[in-house]
Amino acid sequence: MDPAFLAVQALSGLSSASSLFITACGLTIVFGVTRIVNFAHGSLYMIGAYTAATLVPRLLELSFGPVTFWAGILASAIVVGLIGVIIEVLLLRRIYGAPELFQLLATFGVVLVVQDLVVQVFGPQDILGPRAPGLRAPVEILGRRFPSYELVLIAAGPIVLGLVWLLLRKTRFGVLVRAATQDRDMVASLGVNQALLFTGTLFLGAFLAGLGGALQIPRVSAHAGMDLSIIAEAFVVTVVGGMGSVPGAFLAALIIGQLQAFGILVFPKSTLVVVFLLMAVVLAIRPHGFFGRAEIVGGTHAVGIASRALLPRRHFILLVVIAILAGIPLVADAYLLKVATEILIFALFAFSLQLLIGVGGVVSFGHAAFFGLGAYGAALAVKWYGVSMEAALPLGLALAALGAGLVGAFVVRLSGIYLAMMTLAAAQILYAVAFQWVEVTGGDNGIVGVWPAPWASGPIPYYLLTAALTVVTVLLLKRIIDAPFGYALRAARDSEARAEAIGLSVRQHRWLAFIIAGAAAGLAGGIYAFSRGSVDPSLLGISTSVDALTMLLLGGIQTVIGPLVGAAALHALRDWIMPITSLWRLFLGLSIIAMVLIFPRGLVGTIRDWWGARA
């Protein structure tokens, strides 16, 4: 190939890598100190772009010149840093004692809030920022033109790396950040003001996110959706480099930038999946990334199992729930039956995740992979083999169980956030396959004509079928949770070293848990496919996994009816808010944040704790 073309392509990769590193660096530092998986980091990046695209042109009207431009970029990043401080003081500081997943849920609520606020403040139109003064003309490299601003971005990454290194190595704040990254509890025991340390860390992380967004305005327009487009890649950089390792993030960003620059030339259809393939390969070889350390896991991802003494009427409550479910067709119309069917399906989906998170302490960000496999397995059985619904549902379940077994064989070697991100990588790889394998899956059009059997085609019969399958599957999962297998999972969750010391095969138990949970999620996916009459790649997407996590956390981890309550609460919020206002993301996000603050153990979990305290 043309050497000039290769050189320009490599420089483009370096430019993208530099921009990605600046954003991911802040995420790395924040997680290293606070252990918060901050979904709102992409929102801060987006705010930085919007702020710079609005502020810099006004400053240039007063004084045109390079100094004014770069001062505007820096001022935008500082504004975002202050916004990060506000989020930390008003929200995160109040939930540091909550399980880590509830902190993640709170930051997801912030994402929804920011998405609507950005549109209200800056308008719905994309905003293209000004070109950098003095950097408008391209430069020639081996006879080919290359944007001069891209060269500045290439230099920006190493400059930020050097400044962050000096901050972390030569200042007291940096020493505390590095110490907290290695042992946060020990830093607290030495009398360090953790509140101030966390606030300073959030400012630094938000500042870097805002800087990364502000630097983009001469090359891309500020638009809604920037947050979600950057956050996945930022997470990959952070995980591949090693959580808390700034040099690791820099190396990971360089590799990802070059893979994206040249991967599209070799494999044009790889753009959706190349980043996650890299993460999967790296974590399979180095379970903690390039320069990461093993996480101390246990006791924070899930609350304890409910004592039987605290719930003496549990059988009565179960019978009441079953009676209510059976009586819904007597009072509900077709629309409510459709909603109730979806609630039950997603309750089963969320409860399958309960086995992994609530019992095993294994956090999965890609549980939608098994939900989607179940849906596609059932749909493909109908499309290619013309089988009935009764045969398609078990086939979808089997495909999901097989996929969970294959994914679980890799991820059980990992722990903590590395395990969670590996599951996300698996889900994204499957999403890319479903999206691009048009001959089999139909691509983004999906598969249509997946209808239930004639005897179950009406709203009432299909609702009753869904209710029966959901109740039976949940009871079977509950039986597994209360069996010695479930207690072995809890032992590994609370102390993996002690569990192995008494002879438990932790990896084998977790692998079996993945298969069981994947099979249950696949059954939910198959039922959902027949309820909709179609499937599409969105069932494998990140949003579906986030929905399952949200429902589980809203309802309450380690509770039987928690997923049902969480699914009902999320659907109710969406059905009540979306039709009455265009700002439904704002109100939904505020509702999620309020629930996290008021019910830090979930709706059912908090009520259960209140009941236990009274007893």
Side-chain angles (χ1 to χ4, degrees):
M1 299 181 68
D2 183 9
F5 173 77
L6 294 178
V8 169
Q9 201 71 7
L11 289 174
S12 297
L14 288 175
S15 175
S16 299
S18 185
S19 301
L20 183 57
F21 163 72
I22 293 172
T23 303
C25 180
L27 184 64
T28 296
I29 295 172
V30 169
F31 180 85
V33 174
T34 66
R35 294 300 187 273
I36 291 178
V37 182
N38 186 13
F39 261 114
H41 198 75
S43 300
L44 298 172
Y45 168 89
M46 179 174 64
I47 294 174
Y50 268 101
T51 303
T54 305
L55 177 62
V56 172
R58 296 182 179 180
L59 293 178
L60 290 176
E61 291 176 358
L62 301 176
S63 175
F64 185 82
V67 175
T68 303
F69 177 85
W70 295 112
I73 296 293
L74 186 61
S76 300
I78 293 174
V79 169
V80 178
L82 295 176
I83 293 175
V85 170
I86 293 173
I87 294 174
E88 194 276 336
V89 172
L90 296 182
L91 176 60
L92 298 181
R93 185 175 295 183
R94 302 174 186 273
I95 56 174
Y96 281 132
E100 293 172 7
L101 284 174
F102 285 92
Q103 300 168 359
L104 181 149
L105 181 60
T107 61
F108 175 66
V110 173
V111 171
L112 296 176
V113 171
V114 171
Q115 285 179 342
D116 271 353
L117 287 181
V118 161
V119 174
Q120 294 303 309
V121 173
F122 298 101
Q125 302 297 326
D126 294 358
I127 304 177
L128 183 62
R131 303 175 79 177
L135 298 173
R136 296 183 176 183
V139 297
E140 283 200 7
I141 298 177
L142 300 178
R144 287 182 176 265
R145 291 186 174 185
F146 187 76
S148 54
Y149 184 75
E150 300 289 320
L151 295 176
V152 174
L153 287 182
I154 292 175
I159 290 173
V160 170
L161 174 63
L163 293 176
V164 171
W165 184 87
L166 289 174
L167 177 67
L168 296 180
R169 296 286 175 176
K170 303 299 182 181
T171 66
R172 184 176 184 274
F173 172 76
V175 171
L176 293 177
V177 167
R178 289 189 292 117
T181 300
Q182 297 188 21
D183 195 332
R184 184 173 58 175
D185 294 333
M186 181 61 70
V187 171
S189 66
L190 293 175
V192 175
N193 186 336
Q194 281 204 315
L196 186 60
L197 176 61
F198 287 3
T199 301
T201 302
L202 260 295
F203 173 82
L204 177 59
F207 172 84
L208 291 172
L211 180 62
L215 288 172
Q216 303 307 306
I217 61 168
R219 59 200 300 248
V220 297
S221 59
H223 61 276
M226 294 180 70
D227 53 348
L228 299 181
S229 64
I230 192 65
I231 189 62
E233 291 186 358
F235 271 128
V236 171
V237 168
T238 302
V239 171
V240 170
M243 302 301 291
S245 172
V246 174
F250 184 76
L251 176 59
L254 287 178
I255 295 174
I256 289 174
Q258 295 305 312
L259 280 177
Q260 290 178 328
F262 291 100
I264 192 174
L265 303 178
V266 182
F267 303 104
K269 293 186 177 182
S270 68
T271 53
L272 292 176
V273 73
V274 63
V275 172
F276 293 97
L277 276 175
L278 170 67
M279 182 171 66
V281 171
V282 170
L283 292 184
I285 299 172
R286 296 184 62 85
H288 306 112
F290 291 142
F291 304 121
R293 300 171 180 266
E295 287 188 87
I296 301 175
V297 180
T300 58
H301 291 296
V303 298
I305 185 172
S307 171
R308 293 178 181 269
L310 299 180
L311 297 173
R313 300 179 181 177
R314 61 190 184 280
H315 296 302
F316 173 75
I317 295 174
L318 177 61
L319 291 175
V320 170
V321 171
I322 294 176
I324 292 174
L325 295 178
I328 286 179
L330 301 176
V331 297
D333 57 16
Y335 172 74
L336 289 179
L337 281 175
K338 181 72 172 178
V339 172
T341 301
E342 286 197 5
I343 289 174
L344 287 173
I345 292 171
F346 280 97
L348 175 57
F349 179 34
F351 196 87
S352 67
L353 190 58
Q354 176 83 280
L355 179 64
L356 293 178
I357 296 180
V359 181
V362 177
V363 181
S364 173
F365 287 170
H367 205 56
F370 315 128
F371 184 80
L373 282 176
Y376 269 101
L380 290 173
V382 173
K383 177 182 178 181
W384 292 106
Y385 301 105
V387 303
S388 63
M389 179 189 72
E390 295 86 346
L393 285 176
L395 289 175
L397 183 152
L399 180 61
L402 176 62
L406 293 175
V407 173
F410 288 97
V411 302
V412 294
R413 299 175 57 251
L414 309 174
S415 62
I417 190 63
Y418 298 101
L419 187 153
M421 293 302 293
M422 187 67 146
T423 61
L424 177 62
Q428 287 300 103
I429 292 171
L430 290 173
Y431 171 83
V433 171
F435 190 84
Q436 296 182 334
W437 198 4
V438 180
E439 297 80 5
V440 175
T441 64
D444 57 345
N445 293 321
I447 301 173
V448 297
V450 187
W451 301 113
W455 63 268
S457 59
I460 294 178
Y462 199 79
Y463 165 79
L464 293 176
L465 172 66
T466 302
L469 290 175
T470 299
V471 170
V472 170
T473 307
V474 167
L475 290 178
L476 286 175
L477 291 175
K478 183 65 168 59
R479 181 69 176 174
I480 293 172
I481 290 171
D482 290 337
F485 175 77
Y487 281 92
L489 286 177
R490 280 187 282 273
R493 175 198 70 193
D494 295 334
S495 179
E496 183 174 338
R498 293 181 179 179
E500 290 179 342
I502 62 175
L504 292 177
S505 177
V506 172
R507 290 185 180 179
Q508 182 179 1
H509 279 77
R510 288 177 174 169
W511 180 67
L512 291 174
F514 256 95
I515 295 176
I516 296 170
L523 177 60
I527 300 172
Y528 188 66
F530 283 103
S531 72
R532 290 181 56 190
S534 63
V535 298
D536 59 76
S538 66
L539 300 182
L540 295 153
I542 296 176
S543 60
T544 305
S545 294
V546 171
D547 281 347
L549 276 170
T550 303
M551 294 171 191
L552 177 59
L553 297 175
L554 284 179
I557 297 179
Q558 201 64 25
T559 61
V560 177
I561 64 172
L564 177 60
V565 173
L570 187 59
H571 275 76
L573 288 172
R574 286 175 173 170
D575 290 343
W576 292 343
I577 294 173
M578 291 179 64
I580 63 175
T581 177
S582 61
L583 302 177
W584 63 269
R585 293 183 184 86
L586 172 64
F587 290 103
L588 179 60
L590 290 176
S591 300
I592 291 175
I593 292 172
M595 287 188 179
V596 170
L597 293 176
I598 299 172
F599 302 98
R601 301 282 177 178
L603 296 170
V604 178
T606 302
I607 294 173
R608 184 192 66 189
D609 291 346
W610 290 347
W611 181 273
R614 290 184 60 187

